[in-house]
């Protein structure tokens, strides 16, 4: 690497890559490179998150700092080790330099991109970095898009299922003591091959292969979701576990004819409450919520959530120690122009449309149609598999005929069933009802949490109305510490801080997720340059806090009403 003076008085790095000298930015018009970066940040909001690819000589840093306020954060990824070594990691209080490593990039995106900022992210590749480091740039963009999509899906799920999540959670607390924690079965089926059954178009052929080799299936641990249970049972194949994670009543419809099946049903707190109530078989608990909120449940394991029940099935098979894990009906594509196999269709599917949106590679490297949602499921699975690529204990094999799944090479299921020999011996999941929670007490505690913050938000609203009615104009940075309006604002901010950090806000799940996202969007108009002025303005702050508390109070009341109605339906004892 060599630093060269540009024609317009700046400095640029010249590097040698693949036997060729390259300038990391325009040596003749470096000022234009800086201007393009600054123009990209036009309209920067007060808490925008900025990712940059390439620092070069750092000549743009001073102008970059002028665009920022204290709430902005900038992360610069530098792919050239010699350039990276020229700087400290902390370039300022809110500008950080990171050496480009793919794992680290993914980790940083996952840590910094949330539902609060998905619409407030800036990205720019400086100078010639996109061209010179095209491979690194493409991977960075892929991970950035993937992380934003995942964060956006949280908002979508919150908006769509917030009410049913509350109902299922409250009703399913009755079931917890009747279930065995999934972690009781860790490595219980070490080296036993598993067949994970999904509902893609390939399932019809996969089932034909299983039926032909039915006698071999006793050696395999078969895990299925609700949608594919009927297809298996009608073909004389009884799975070893059913996994049901979807909250909606369609899951009940899929399994209503098999409620007496003697197969353990794995569920989590938000699974359909009517299915859990009526299913007579043993139950296995996967905990996403209660293990973080209820004493005595800290050791109950969660599973990988990639958007589809198949991700949970695969992770459970892995948790049990199964290997190889055979993926059937796992198309992630519109194979044969179908979203689901014929054997996995139900009457309610006729109202759904699954139009092709993009093309990806199939198992033979040819283009195949899929949807954005299915493709995100595929990428989530590929990420999961990549986490185990250095662990030879577990192998993943794609026996479907749809999308290529990196890390899971394709093999014919018929060939594996016919010729496969495996050392592990299948062990059934024996029940152990060791959990002992008091659902009525837990629900009462949640209601007390709601009542407490209903009172607090009402108090905060009263203070907001006093400030707004007095209509005093003042800067909160210039008043005395004992100023009455400052004390009122500090009290309100304490209410906000307390509920946003209260572990019990997890119980209102989707409501709180949607609330935080919506409030962020409503407050998204404040530019970085106006941050100090507006956040210190008494009337501006009060108007925002008044709207915040009004929305929050309404949400808390709705959640309380939902809990009370669910309790009256599912509990005989008096809780509320």
């Amino acid at each position: 690497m060599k630093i060269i003076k540009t024609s317009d008085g700046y400095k640029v790095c010249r590097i040698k890559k693949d036997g060729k000298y390259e300038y990391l930015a325009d040596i003749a018009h470096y000022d234009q490179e800086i201007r393009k970066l600054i123009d990209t940040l036009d309209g920067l909001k007060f808490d925008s998150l900025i990712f940059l690819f390439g620092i070069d000589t750092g000549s743009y840093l001073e102008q970059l700092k002028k665009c920022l306020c204290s709430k902005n954060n900038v992360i610069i990824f530098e792919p050239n080790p010699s350039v990276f070594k020229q700087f400290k990691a902390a370039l300022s209080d809110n500008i950080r330099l990171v050496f480009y490593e793919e794992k680290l990039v993914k980790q940083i995106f996952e840590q910094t991109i949330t539902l609060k900022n998905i619409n407030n992210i800036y990205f720019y590749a400086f100078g010639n970095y996109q061209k010179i480091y095209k491979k690194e740039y493409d991977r960075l963009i892929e991970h950035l898009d993937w992380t934003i999509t995942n964060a956006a899906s949280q908002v979508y799920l919150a908006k769509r299922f917030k009410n049913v999540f509350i109902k299922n959670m409250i009703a399913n607390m009755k079931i917890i003591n009747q279930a065995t924690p999934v972690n009781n079965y860790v490595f219980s089926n070490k080296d036993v091959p598993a067949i994970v059954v999904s509902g893609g178009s390939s399932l019809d052929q996969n089932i034909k292969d299983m039926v032909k080799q039915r006698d071999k299936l006793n050696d395999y641990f078969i895990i299925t979701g609700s949608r594919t249970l009927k297809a298996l049972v009608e073909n004389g194949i009884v799975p070893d576990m059913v996994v049901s994670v979807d909250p909606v009543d369609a899951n009940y419809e899929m399994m209503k004819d098999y409620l007496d099946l003697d197969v353990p049903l794995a569920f989590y707190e938000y699974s359909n409450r009517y299915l859990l109530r009526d299913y007579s078989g043993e139950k296995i608990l996967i905990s996403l919520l209660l293990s973080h909120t209820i004493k005595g449940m800290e050791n109950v394991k969660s599973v990988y959530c990639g958007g589809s029940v198949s991700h949970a099935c695969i992770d459970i098979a892995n948790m049990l120690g199964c290997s190889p894990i055979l993926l059937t009906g796992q198309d992630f594509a519109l194979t044969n122009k179908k979203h689901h196999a014929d054997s996995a269709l139900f009457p309610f599917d006729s109202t759904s449309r699954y139009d092709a949106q993009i093309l990806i590679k199939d198992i033979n490297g040819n283009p195949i149609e899929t949807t954005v949602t299915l493709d995100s499921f595929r990428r989530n699975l590929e990420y999961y598999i990549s986490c185990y690529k250095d662990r030879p204990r577990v192998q993943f094999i794609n026996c479907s005929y749809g999308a290529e799944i990196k890390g899971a090479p394709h093999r014919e299921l018929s060939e594996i069933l016919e010729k496969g020999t495996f050392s592990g011996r299948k062990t059934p999941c024996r029940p152990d009802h060791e959990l002992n929670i008091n659902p009525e007490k837990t629900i009462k505690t949640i209601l007390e949490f709601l009542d407490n913050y209903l009172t607090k938000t009402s108090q905060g609203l009263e203070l907001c109305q006093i400030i707004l009615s007095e209509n005093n104009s003042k800067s909160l940075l210039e008043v005395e510490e004992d100023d009455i309006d400052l004390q009122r604002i500090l009290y309100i901010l304490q209410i906000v801080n307390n509920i946003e950090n209260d572990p019990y806000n997890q119980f209102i799940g989707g409501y709180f997720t949607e609330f935080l996202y919506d409030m962020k969007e409503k407050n998204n108009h404040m530019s970085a340059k106006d941050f100090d002025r507006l956040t210190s303005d008494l009337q501006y702050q009060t108007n925002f806090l008044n709207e915040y508390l009004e929305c929050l109070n309404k949400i808390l009341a709705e959640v309380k009403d939902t809990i009370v109605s669910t309790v009256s339906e599912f509990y005989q004892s008096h809780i509320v």
Side-chain angles (χ1 to χ4, degrees):
M1 182 203 75
K2 188 174 182 180
I3 296 177
I4 307 293
K5 190 171 183 179
T6 68
S7 301
D8 49 0
Y10 291 93
K11 292 179 180 178
V12 65
C13 289
R14 188 188 73 179
I15 64 164
K16 191 173 185 180
K17 189 171 186 292
D18 300 328
K20 180 182 177 183
Y21 286 107
E22 302 272 11
Y23 292 102
L24 294 181
D26 192 335
I27 191 171
H29 304 99
Y30 201 94
D31 60 334
Q32 293 184 15
E33 299 280 30
I34 296 176
R35 177 48 49 197
K36 284 188 282 187
L37 166 59
I38 301 305
D39 287 347
T40 300
L41 302 181
D42 184 45
L44 197 68
K45 300 301 186 290
F46 75 97
D47 57 351
S48 295
L49 178 61
I50 302 121
F51 296 109
L52 302 178
F53 187 51
I55 191 170
D56 189 30
T57 57
S59 299
Y60 62 72
L61 288 174
E62 288 308 311
Q63 292 196 46
L64 172 63
K65 291 175 184 177
K66 294 177 183 178
C67 300
L68 309 177
C69 72
S70 59
K71 288 290 185 180
N72 292 127
N73 278 299
V74 181
I75 297 174
I76 305 172
F77 296 108
E78 175 52 55
N80 186 291
S82 298
V83 174
F84 176 76
K85 290 176 183 177
Q86 303 300 308
F87 300 89
K88 297 184 297 183
L91 300 172
S92 73
D93 289 342
N94 55 352
I95 303 177
R96 182 158 59 109
L97 181 66
V98 176
F99 182 64
Y100 177 93
E101 290 178 338
E102 190 170 346
K103 279 188 177 180
L104 184 57
V105 168
K106 289 162 63 175
Q107 180 182 340
I108 288 173
F109 285 160
E110 289 168 7
Q111 291 173 346
T112 57
I113 296 174
T114 70
L115 60 95
K116 290 185 181 182
N117 60 22
I118 51 176
N119 293 329
N120 204 11
I121 293 172
Y122 287 74
F123 173 80
Y124 186 75
F126 183 72
N128 298 323
Y129 274 82
Q130 179 179 348
K131 179 185 71 175
I132 297 171
Y133 293 98
K134 185 179 185 306
K135 180 181 177 182
E136 291 84 351
Y137 171 85
D138 288 345
R139 293 296 288 163
L140 190 151
I141 290 296
E142 182 178 340
H143 291 307
L144 179 61
D145 288 346
W146 181 75
T147 311
I148 291 174
T149 299
N150 277 355
S153 69
Q154 294 180 35
V155 180
Y156 169 77
L157 288 173
K159 288 179 178 290
R160 183 178 178 187
F161 297 123
K162 60 184 180 182
N163 187 261
V164 73
F165 277 169
I166 295 290
K167 291 179 178 179
N168 288 346
M169 174 195 69
I170 294 299
N172 290 342
M173 284 187 187
K174 288 186 69 174
I175 308 296
I176 300 299
N177 294 342
Q178 304 169 26
T180 302
V182 68
N183 42 282
N184 281 29
Y185 305 118
V186 171
F187 291 132
S188 62
N189 280 267
K190 192 172 184 299
D191 297 327
V192 173
I195 299 177
V196 172
V197 183
S198 300
S201 176
S202 300
L203 178 63
D204 292 331
Q205 180 59 50
N206 291 148
I207 285 183
K208 289 178 182 177
D209 292 335
M210 283 190 266
V211 170
K212 287 179 182 178
Q213 302 282 343
R214 196 193 312 271
D215 59 317
K216 301 287 185 68
L217 296 180
N218 290 331
D219 297 329
Y220 291 77
F221 199 99
I222 302 175
I223 304 180
T224 185
S226 304
R227 176 177 285 276
T228 46
L229 176 62
K230 178 182 178 182
L232 291 177
V233 175
E234 286 186 345
N235 283 278
I237 302 168
V238 179
D240 297 285
M241 185 185 297
V242 182
V243 181
S244 181
V245 295
D246 289 337
V248 295
D249 291 343
N251 259 40
Y252 189 96
E253 288 297 310
M254 293 173 185
M255 290 185 59
K256 65 182 181 181
D257 295 329
Y258 305 98
L259 297 175
D260 295 326
L261 194 67
D262 187 19
V263 173
L265 173 68
F267 72 100
Y268 80 130
E269 295 92 341
Y270 300 130
S271 298
N272 184 263
R273 59 196 181 281
Y274 298 112
L275 176 59
L276 268 292
R277 180 192 64 188
D278 295 348
Y279 189 77
S280 63
E282 283 295 331
K283 299 177 182 71
I284 297 172
L285 175 65
I286 305 160
S287 180
L288 297 182
L289 171 66
L290 300 183
S291 57
H292 299 289
T293 53
I294 295 184
K295 189 176 180 180
M297 292 190 62
E298 299 87 353
N299 295 324
V300 181
K301 284 185 176 291
S302 176
V303 295
Y304 179 63
C305 299
S308 166
V309 66
S310 65
H311 297 94
C313 294
I314 292 165
D315 194 28
I316 290 173
N318 192 5
M319 192 184 300
L320 267 56
C322 295
S323 184
I325 298 173
L326 312 182
L327 311 179
T328 63
Q330 194 69 84
D331 289 71
F332 294 130
L334 304 179
T335 313
N336 302 319
K337 303 291 183 181
K338 297 177 182 179
H339 192 275
H340 292 109
D342 292 340
S343 59
L345 284 173
F346 291 84
F348 54 78
D349 288 315
S350 62
T351 61
S352 301
R353 290 188 59 182
Y354 303 103
D355 296 330
Q357 296 169 302
I358 56 175
L359 290 173
I360 57 175
K361 288 183 180 180
D362 70 5
I363 57 170
N364 298 310
N366 299 317
I368 190 171
E369 293 179 331
T370 190
T371 67
V372 171
T373 300
L374 286 176
D375 191 50
S376 71
F377 292 167
R378 176 188 63 84
R379 290 195 289 170
N380 287 346
L381 179 57
E382 289 182 342
Y383 170 73
Y384 175 84
I385 292 174
S386 72
C387 296
Y388 292 89
K389 66 180 180 181
D390 297 324
R391 305 185 196 183
R393 181 196 66 76
V394 60
Q395 291 181 308
F396 303 88
I397 299 174
N398 182 10
C399 299
S400 311
Y401 302 98
E404 173 192 40
I405 303 173
K406 293 176 183 175
H410 175 77
R411 284 184 61 189
E412 291 291 332
L413 179 62
S414 58
E415 175 189 337
I416 297 173
L417 291 174
E418 182 179 353
K419 300 179 181 179
T421 55
F422 306 99
S423 60
R425 185 175 180 180
K426 184 167 70 174
T427 302
C429 295
R430 296 184 175 86
D432 182 359
H433 302 160
E434 63 183 48
L435 295 173
N436 184 24
I437 72 163
N438 186 327
E440 288 85 359
K441 182 179 178 181
T442 302
I443 294 169
K444 186 176 180 181
T445 303
I446 297 171
L447 290 171
E448 289 172 352
F449 158 81
L450 293 171
D451 285 336
N452 176 46
Y453 281 106
L454 280 167
T455 301
K456 293 290 187 184
T457 52
S458 295
Q459 292 172 351
L461 284 168
E462 289 178 11
L463 293 176
C464 286
Q465 290 305 312
I466 292 172
I467 297 172
L468 293 173
S469 64
E470 293 177 352
N471 199 26
N472 292 323
S473 295
K474 60 177 76 172
S475 169
L476 295 172
L477 295 177
E478 298 173 358
V479 299
E480 298 294 330
E481 285 189 16
D482 59 353
D483 180 87
I484 185 62
D485 288 324
L486 176 61
Q487 294 304 313
R488 289 165 176 162
I489 291 293
L490 290 176
Y491 181 80
I492 296 168
L493 289 174
Q494 188 63 50
I495 295 172
V496 171
N497 182 68
N498 285 348
I499 191 166
E500 288 195 359
N501 291 284
D502 194 312
Y504 269 73
N505 71 36
Q506 296 176 77
F507 282 111
I508 59 178
Y511 279 93
F512 204 63
T513 297
E514 182 186 29
F515 166 71
L516 292 176
Y517 175 80
D518 288 346
M519 292 308 303
K520 188 69 176 179
E521 288 300 287
K522 289 178 181 178
N523 197 39
N524 201 30
H525 59 276
M526 190 195 306
S527 66
K529 63 182 180 181
D530 291 332
F531 175 73
D532 289 336
R533 177 177 62 84
L534 291 178
T535 53
S536 63
D537 183 278
L538 173 63
Q539 294 301 318
Y540 180 90
Q541 277 283 59
T542 305
N543 273 297
F544 171 73
L545 290 170
N546 187 70
E547 184 177 13
Y548 181 103
L549 294 174
E550 277 185 346
C551 292
L552 182 56
N553 187 273
K554 182 179 178 181
I555 285 169
L556 295 173
E558 184 177 337
V559 172
K560 181 179 178 180
D561 289 344
T562 301
I563 291 176
V564 170
S565 65
T566 306
V567 167
S568 65
E569 180 182 2
F570 282 83
Y571 292 82
Q572 294 180 352
S573 59
H574 181 72
I575 301 176
V576 295

